[in-house]
Amino acid sequence: MKHFKILLVALFISVSSFAQSSSAEITKNAQTYYDYMTAQNFDGVLDYMYPKVFEMASRAQMKAGMEQMFSSPDMKIEFLSNDVTNVSEEKIVENITYAAVFYNSKMKMTFLSEKDKSAEDQKSFLGFMEVTMNSQFGEENVTSDPETMSLVINMDATMFAIKDPQYDGWKFLGNDDAMKQLVDSIIPESVRTALIKK
């Protein structure tokens, strides 16, 4: 009986250690993914993206879309920071391991197309954009800077970490409204509801 208890304690410790190391591994990989996003290293971002995404839009198309979004002559988008705040427990379905990654992101949008407009037009445009972003992210999460014609948006968001035996290491898939259809087609509903508790 004594040996059984020792075995049980040892087993519990090893399972607990595995869970912690797995969570640490997800956090480390997710932070690298976010650092690539902050630095606009799109090849690095795509290396960490769950490859099944490329069955719907090729890697080249995804990269072109990112480059276009981040090099628009009308608006400059910068990520000031992306920080992992928490990682959920894991859920395994059909030999694929899933976890939810919770993170905080600060994004700056600078409206280049408005720089040469009159002060009145700039104020009107920035006010309109601020109201629009307030409705999406909450008034407390949007800061306006009229001098630089920019808005800074602070948001808490989630993505899925996926360890699929077909691929090497942890891969990631964003979880937002724009990605909903894609996420729903890739992540089983049981996983979504278990890991992202509303």
Side-chain angles (χ1 to χ4, degrees), residues 176-187:
D176 55 42
D177 291 343
M179 299 281 283
K180 187 178 186 316
Q181 193 174 352
L182 186 61
V183 169
D184 289 355
S185 69
I186 291 175
I187 310 291

Side-chain angles (χ1 to χ4, degrees), residues 40 42-43 46 60-72:
Q40 296 183 23
F42 302 127
D43 284 314
L46 292 166
Q61 288 173 320
M62 295 284 283
K63 184 178 179 181
M66 288 178 180
E67 287 174 339
Q68 188 176 358
M69 185 171 79
F70 283 90
S71 61
S72 166

Side-chain angles (χ1 to χ4, degrees), residues 38-50:
T38 303
Q40 296 183 23
N41 177 346
F42 302 127
D43 284 314
V45 170
L46 292 166
D47 285 344
Y48 275 94
M49 199 171 281
Y50 188 47

